[in-house]
Amino acid sequence: MNKEEILLLIMDGNIEISKLKILLSDMNTVDIAEILEYLEKDKFIQMFRVLPKTIASDVFANMDSEHQQSVVEALADTEIGEIINKLFVDDAVDFIEEMPANVVGRVLANVQSEKRKLINQFLQYPDNSAGSIMTAEYISLNENEAVQDAFDTIRKIGQNKETINTCYVIKNDRVLVGEVSARTLMLSNLHDRICDIMNKYPVFSHTTDDREIIADQFKKYDLLAMPVVDKEQRLVGIITVDDIMDVIVQEDTEDMEKMGALKPSDDPYMKSGIFQLAKNRFLWLLVLMLSATITAAIIEGFEESLALMPILVAFIPMLMDTGGNSGCQSSTLIIRGMALGDIRLRDFLRVFWKEIRVALLCGLALAAVNFGRIYIMNGKNILLAVTVSLALVCTVLVAKSAGALLPMLAKRIGIDPAMMAAPVITTIADAASLIMYFTFARLILGL
Amino acid sequence: MNKEEILLLIMDGNIEISKLKILLSDMNTVDIAEILEYLEKDKFIQMFRVLPKTIASDVFANMDSEHQQSVVEALADTEIGEIINKLFVDDAVDFIEEMPANVVGRVLANVQSEKRKLINQFLQYPDNSAGSIMTAEYISLNENEAVQDAFDTIRKIGQNKETINTCYVIKNDRVLVGEVSARTLMLSNLHDRICDIMNKYPVFSHTTDDREIIADQFKKYDLLAMPVVDKEQRLVGIITVDDIMDVIVQEDTEDMEKMGALKPSDDPYMKSGIFQLAKNRFLWLLVLMLSATITAAIIEGFEESLALMPILVAFIPMLMDTGGNSGCQSSTLIIRGMALGDIRLRDFLRVFWKEIRVALLCGLALAAVNFGRIYIMNGKNILLAVTVSLALVCTVLVAKSAGALLPMLAKRIGIDPAMMAAPVITTIADAASLIMYFTFARLILGL
């Protein structure tokens, strides 16, 4: 039976609870959470209570924060404690960070004291740090124990760990000394010692490391999990690849938003209010609008030329748009290239030289088309066609240079390159292209 | 000893081969590949030959295709066979796809016939399909065997499998009937039967499924690996999460490139020639430049008004830029929201209504600032200030509506929404804003 059919059965109330329990126990908890979220509130709470105790926490971890809050508000204190105690620390922290203060207080009051201590510790790690995405449910082994002991440990506590695919080897003071995979354990002799079969140089991170750099390491080394240590090299948690996929998606979304002249936001569009959306957009629009004062001043400075030859105005939008689009192409490639590590700051000159040649190729080809068009459509006015085409080549050249260099310059001085994307480049290219256009008009057309 | 130190030792030739072998055997093969790639060609080949046989294939898989080609050209036929036979099929296919025909022929001629058959089969799967990113090295178990047998299987063949963390359960005809994790195996009783402990409803895909949809499933269900079946539900391969991370990065890059008016390309910027770069940019620039003919025509149509009041020209760039940026903000949010599944086509009306209200908020706030600026800087000309400000509000409204609706419309008719990003929206917003601007000017300023 698929998700839709089960959802319909529940909505119609056409199913016995005992039968439903059997159906749900075969399902993925992600799907169960999805089904529950479709229900109306009363029905939703009622169904959540029906869930087998073994999967209730898992389902809870997969719901959005609004539904999590509904659950917590509807359940009794002891029931809340049961659910939260079974959550992995990272899921518990994610949940608590979204809750209002009174809910947080009630939740923490009903959690086992050891778990509460961990949650409070994990809540302290700065946003975007390794600490903020790690969890505490890992398997740690002693370097001197035998493989057989490791199997016994896994058998005893493996059920409640986020992963058993990699186990972490520590010395008595909890200092990380290695890692050993489930594969290695299975392929080893039962009385091999862990320190003889472990990987002594695992890729690890510190609690304060930036999550973006950690994501790069996961990609580079094809990791499934990474141990996190404190300043004294003591193991405090692990990061798993599922959370890293979320990091990659979030970081890319952030970059796209910055490149689109938006203040980045973690909230999904459909759940954001219009005031919040407007706030995330207004500042950039204002800055860019005010910087367009420069172009207005340039045009006013050339008012006499325009009065003598009004047709010149007609080509302003084409020049501006082509400049904007050319710059946007370059900045997109450079910003993304730097984010992926394909382009490094020391490539500065090579990038610049590349962009100049590409700009000349594109600019000359566009100018040729443009020359023909103006010549045919504007009464065979060769001088006008030359003026506009020359301005076009120069515009593409300036826009592409700015599009390549500004993001690299930004990175050099420690600003996010994604801020130097299309909108900023367009504003710069506009001013430059208008000045060149009018200057050529004066020189060539004698205005 | 870290990577840089080892690299220096090799470059100086200051290290005995036997010592180097010991150093390298402790290192991650990704790092070894990185070190080798820094060396000059002769030294590089010499060092590659030094690598212990056990890791040479792994190092080979982690090198870029230029260096892979150098290796293959330098080695003898039997040596090539040894390396390729040990590669996972997905790595072998990735490598072969980048090689010129003569190299491919030589490689395939030296591979074991079974492997050759698999490689040829995998090469047939269409780009971007599940088949193109899967590999054949998985562990399959029989549903009737016991856990002890599974351990024996893993012990026997687990060394050469891409993952043993999840094993796949098949019936005699290779039809997929379930999956079982290493964790479940370890926590089960040795004489439990596989069919009693397996997950009977694994998330799986077909060879022709789109890799983007598969990536969504990995994210949704936090998967580490996914089985791939053919039309008859027979297991043919598995996809692992490390390849899915690459898919996510590539798909995001592609979206950004499309949004930046670029033809998407898999080749890194630094390795692309200028003609290729220019080719990927020219077509969009040409289309957008030619569509600016419309704005030129609009301006020519209002030439008389402009002649009566030349100052009107000065505000054209500001209106165009603000329209472009407003539209860019909306299209960025909507395109990314749809890519992440946060915004669905059935949300069309809600999105439209949201954008209109956000546009009014932003537009009115911008217009207020703009009104003040013009009033102060342009001789307290209230009518001019009203005209420009009114045009500004309407421009933001049109740009944001187009920025929200066009990507959704594109998706509806089966075009990639990312094509309907800033550049296209800008062109549309430009035309609309100029028409409104000049119409208001005629009505309000009586031109």
Side-chain angles (χ1 to χ4, degrees):
Chain A
M1 203 175 293
N2 67 26
K3 267 187 285 182
E4 285 71 27
E5 290 166 339
I6 294 181
L7 182 60
L8 281 178
L9 278 180
I10 296 177
M11 281 175 157
D12 296 346
N14 256 342
I15 183 164
E16 286 164 45
I17 296 296
S18 57
K19 263 194 181 161
L20 186 65
K21 277 195 175 186
I22 294 171
L23 276 178
L24 292 180
S25 65
D26 260 352
M27 279 182 82
N28 192 306
T29 49
V30 178
D31 290 325
I32 299 177
E34 204 169 68
I35 290 179
L36 293 192
E37 286 177 355
Y38 267 104
L39 301 173
E40 280 172 43
K41 193 169 168 185
D42 288 349
K43 196 94 187 169
F44 159 65
I45 298 291
Q46 187 196 335
M47 281 300 125
F48 187 83
R49 286 176 185 278
V50 166
L51 294 176
K53 286 256 188 301
T54 45
I55 62 169
S57 291
D58 260 4
V59 174
F60 184 83
N62 281 303
M63 295 187 312
D64 61 35
S65 51
E66 284 168 46
H67 284 88
Q68 288 178 330
Q69 186 170 348
S70 305
V71 167
V72 171
E73 284 167 355
L75 294 194
D77 284 358
T78 49
E79 291 174 301
I80 296 176
E82 275 174 33
I83 289 173
I84 310 297
N85 283 331
K86 277 197 202 137
L87 285 183
F88 292 137
V89 175
D90 58 346
D91 292 329
V93 167
D94 287 348
F95 152 66
I96 283 175
E97 278 179 332
E98 298 294 322
M99 291 299 114
N102 60 329
V103 175
V104 173
R106 197 165 151 236
V107 167
L108 288 180
N110 290 291
V111 169
Q112 289 159 358
S113 69
E114 204 173 327
K115 189 93 169 198
R116 183 166 53 238
K117 235 175 88 185
L118 268 181
I119 292 175
N120 278 324
Q121 178 196 337
F122 278 43
L123 280 168
Q124 307 295 322
Y125 293 113
D127 272 1
N128 301 335
S129 70
S132 73
I133 50 170
M134 70 182 182
T135 195
E137 290 80 9
Y138 52 84
I139 291 191
S140 58
L141 304 173
N142 191 291
E143 56 176 340
N144 292 316
E145 63 187 294
V147 169
Q148 178 64 60
D149 304 327
F151 277 121
D152 292 344
T153 305
I154 293 175
R155 209 170 248 281
K156 210 161 68 187
I157 59 169
Q159 188 63 54
N160 304 315
K161 300 304 173 187
E162 175 128 12
T163 184
I164 59 120
N165 297 329
T166 315
C167 302
Y168 299 93
V169 188
I170 53 176
K171 288 197 294 192
N172 287 335
D173 46 4
R174 298 205 65 73
V175 166
L176 178 74
V177 291
E179 67 179 21
V180 58
S181 66
R183 184 200 308 243
T184 305
L185 287 176
M186 287 191 190
L187 298 181
S188 298
N189 211 302
L190 286 179
H191 26 256
D192 282 347
R193 284 198 331 158
I194 295 295
C195 59
D196 295 328
I197 58 166
M198 70 184 184
N199 167 16
K200 293 191 188 72
Y201 306 96
V203 182
F204 68 94
S205 60
H206 288 97
T207 49
T208 49
D209 286 351
D210 188 305
R211 63 180 198 164
E212 211 170 343
I213 292 168
I214 294 170
D216 289 342
Q217 302 248 306
F218 268 82
K219 285 187 259 175
K220 179 173 177 184
Y221 294 107
D222 291 348
L223 302 176
L224 296 179
M226 185 194 277
V228 183
V229 299
D230 64 12
K231 278 183 208 147
E232 282 80 35
Q233 293 291 113
R234 287 180 306 217
L235 183 61
V236 287
I238 60 166
I239 296 170
T240 48
V241 68
D242 53 311
D243 296 316
I244 289 300
M245 278 201 283
D246 295 340
V247 168
I248 295 173
V249 170
Q250 281 170 26
E251 294 287 342
D252 284 352
T253 303
E254 229 173 70
D255 275 359
M256 287 185 197
E257 290 177 347
K258 282 181 193 156
M259 288 160 79
L262 291 151
K263 187 162 157 280
S265 156
D266 277 345
D267 303 314
Y269 179 86
M270 297 307 289
K271 293 196 175 159
S272 305
I274 58 163
F275 287 98
Q276 192 199 337
L277 286 174
K279 214 183 68 186
N280 292 342
R281 302 183 192 187
F282 180 67
L283 194 67
W284 263 117
L285 287 181
L286 184 68
V287 169
L288 295 168
M289 183 186 85
L290 290 180
S291 61
T293 318
I294 302 165
T295 46
I298 295 170
I299 290 181
E300 284 183 58
F302 288 93
E303 219 167 63
E304 284 170 38
S305 309
L306 288 175
L308 286 170
M309 200 166 181
I311 185 75
L312 286 179
V313 177
F315 302 106
I316 290 179
M318 185 275 289
L319 283 173
M320 283 175 54
D321 283 347
T322 306
N325 292 329
S326 302
C328 176
Q329 291 180 329
S330 302
S331 62
T332 301
L333 283 178
I334 305 301
I335 291 169
R336 185 64 175 163
M338 286 199 291
L340 296 182
D342 294 333
I343 300 175
R344 281 158 296 190
L345 280 182
R346 62 165 178 267
D347 298 322
F348 191 85
L349 285 177
R350 283 173 65 199
V351 169
F352 189 45
W353 176 225
K354 221 168 199 171
E355 282 304 305
I356 286 187
R357 286 175 297 161
V358 173
L360 278 176
L361 282 175
C362 288
L364 288 172
L366 290 174
V369 177
N370 189 56
F371 183 92
R373 185 172 65 90
I374 295 180
Y375 184 75
I376 295 165
M377 292 172 68
N378 292 76
K380 302 195 175 174
N381 188 338
I382 288 194
L383 289 183
L384 177 67
V386 168
T387 303
V388 178
S389 300
L390 204 56
L392 186 63
V393 176
C394 294
T395 297
V396 174
L397 207 57
V398 169
K400 285 210 171 289
S401 306
L405 298 190
L406 286 183
M408 299 190 84
L409 203 68
K411 180 156 192 187
R412 180 70 190 75
I413 59 174
I415 300 173
D416 188 335
M419 310 288 276
M420 293 295 141
V424 174
I425 309 282
T426 301
T427 303
I428 292 169
D430 281 356
S433 81
L434 286 176
I435 292 177
M436 292 183 295
Y437 180 40
F438 292 131
T439 308
F440 289 138
R442 278 195 178 161
L443 293 172
I444 296 168
L445 297 166
L447 299 174
Chain B
M1 205 176 290
N2 68 26
K3 268 188 283 183
E4 286 70 27
E5 290 166 340
I6 294 180
L7 182 61
L8 281 178
L9 277 180
I10 297 176
M11 281 176 155
D12 296 345
N14 257 342
I15 183 165
E16 284 166 45
I17 296 296
S18 57
K19 265 195 182 160
L20 185 65
K21 276 195 178 187
I22 293 172
L23 275 179
L24 293 180
S25 65
D26 260 352
M27 278 181 83
N28 193 307
T29 50
V30 177
D31 290 325
I32 299 178
E34 204 171 66
I35 290 179
L36 293 191
E37 286 177 357
Y38 267 104
L39 301 173
E40 279 173 46
K41 194 170 167 182
D42 289 350
K43 195 93 188 172
F44 159 66
I45 299 291
Q46 187 195 335
M47 282 299 125
F48 187 83
R49 286 177 185 278
V50 167
L51 294 177
K53 286 255 189 303
T54 46
I55 62 169
S57 291
D58 260 3
V59 173
F60 184 83
N62 282 302
M63 294 187 312
D64 62 36
S65 53
E66 284 168 45
H67 284 88
Q68 288 177 329
Q69 186 169 349
S70 303
V71 168
V72 170
E73 284 167 356
L75 295 193
D77 284 358
T78 50
E79 292 174 301
I80 296 176
E82 276 174 35
I83 288 173
I84 310 298
N85 283 331
K86 278 197 203 139
L87 285 183
F88 293 136
V89 176
D90 57 345
D91 292 329
V93 168
D94 288 348
F95 152 67
I96 283 174
E97 279 179 332
E98 297 294 323
M99 292 299 115
N102 61 327
V103 175
V104 174
R106 198 168 150 235
V107 167
L108 287 180
N110 289 292
V111 170
Q112 288 159 0
S113 70
E114 202 173 326
K115 188 95 169 194
R116 182 165 56 237
K117 237 175 85 184
L118 267 181
I119 291 174
N120 278 324
Q121 178 195 336
F122 278 43
L123 280 169
Q124 307 295 321
Y125 294 113
D127 272 0
N128 301 335
S129 70
S132 73
I133 49 170
M134 70 184 183
T135 195
E137 291 80 7
Y138 52 84
I139 291 191
S140 58
L141 305 173
N142 193 291
E143 55 175 340
N144 292 316
E145 63 188 291
V147 170
Q148 178 64 62
D149 303 327
F151 277 120
D152 292 344
T153 306
I154 292 174
R155 210 170 247 284
K156 210 161 70 189
I157 58 170
Q159 188 63 56
N160 305 314
K161 300 304 172 186
E162 176 129 10
T163 183
I164 60 119
N165 298 330
T166 314
C167 302
Y168 300 93
V169 188
I170 52 176
K171 288 197 294 194
N172 287 335
D173 45 6
R174 298 206 62 75
V175 166
L176 178 73
V177 291
E179 66 179 22
V180 59
S181 65
R183 183 200 310 242
T184 305
L185 288 175
M186 287 192 190
L187 297 181
S188 297
N189 211 304
L190 286 178
H191 27 256
D192 282 346
R193 283 198 332 159
I194 295 295
C195 58
D196 295 327
I197 59 165
M198 71 184 182
N199 167 17
K200 294 191 187 73
Y201 305 96
V203 182
F204 67 94
S205 61
H206 288 97
T207 49
T208 50
D209 287 350
D210 188 305
R211 63 179 196 162
E212 211 171 342
I213 291 167
I214 294 170
D216 289 341
Q217 303 247 305
F218 268 81
K219 285 186 259 177
K220 180 173 176 182
Y221 295 107
D222 291 347
L223 303 175
L224 296 180
M226 185 194 277
V228 183
V229 300
D230 64 12
K231 278 183 209 147
E232 283 82 33
Q233 293 292 113
R234 286 180 306 218
L235 183 62
V236 287
I238 60 166
I239 296 171
T240 48
V241 68
D242 53 311
D243 296 317
I244 289 301
M245 279 201 282
D246 295 340
V247 168
I248 294 173
V249 170
Q250 281 169 26
E251 294 288 342
D252 284 352
T253 303
E254 230 173 68
D255 275 358
M256 287 186 197
E257 289 177 348
K258 283 180 193 156
M259 288 160 79
L262 291 149
K263 187 162 158 282
S265 157
D266 277 345
D267 303 314
Y269 179 86
M270 296 308 290
K271 294 195 175 160
S272 305
I274 59 163
F275 287 98
Q276 192 199 336
L277 286 173
K279 213 182 70 187
N280 292 341
R281 304 182 190 187
F282 179 68
L283 195 65
W284 262 117
L285 286 181
L286 184 68
V287 169
L288 294 168
M289 183 185 84
L290 290 180
S291 62
T293 319
I294 302 166
T295 44
I298 293 170
I299 289 180
E300 285 183 57
F302 288 92
E303 218 167 65
E304 284 170 36
S305 308
L306 287 175
L308 286 172
M309 199 165 180
I311 184 73
L312 285 178
V313 177
F315 302 106
I316 291 179
M318 186 274 290
L319 283 173
M320 285 174 53
D321 282 347
T322 306
N325 292 329
S326 302
C328 175
Q329 290 180 330
S330 302
S331 63
T332 301
L333 282 177
I334 306 301
I335 291 168
R336 185 64 175 165
M338 287 199 290
L340 296 183
D342 294 333
I343 299 175
R344 282 158 296 191
L345 279 182
R346 64 165 178 266
D347 298 321
F348 190 86
L349 286 177
R350 283 173 65 199
V351 169
F352 190 44
W353 176 225
K354 219 168 200 170
E355 284 302 306
I356 286 186
R357 286 176 296 160
V358 173
L360 278 177
L361 281 176
C362 288
L364 288 173
L366 290 174
V369 176
N370 190 55
F371 183 91
R373 187 172 65 89
I374 295 180
Y375 184 74
I376 294 166
M377 293 173 68
N378 292 77
K380 303 195 176 176
N381 188 337
I382 288 194
L383 288 184
L384 177 67
V386 168
T387 303
V388 177
S389 300
L390 204 56
L392 185 63
V393 176
C394 294
T395 297
V396 174
L397 207 57
V398 170
K400 286 210 171 288
S401 307
L405 299 188
L406 286 182
M408 299 190 85
L409 202 70
K411 178 152 193 190
R412 180 72 190 76
I413 60 174
I415 301 174
D416 188 335
M419 310 289 276
M420 293 295 141
V424 174
I425 309 281
T426 300
T427 304
I428 292 170
D430 281 356
S433 81
L434 286 176
I435 292 177
M436 291 184 297
Y437 179 41
F438 292 131
T439 308
F440 289 138
R442 278 195 179 161
L443 293 172
I444 295 168
L445 297 166
L447 300 174

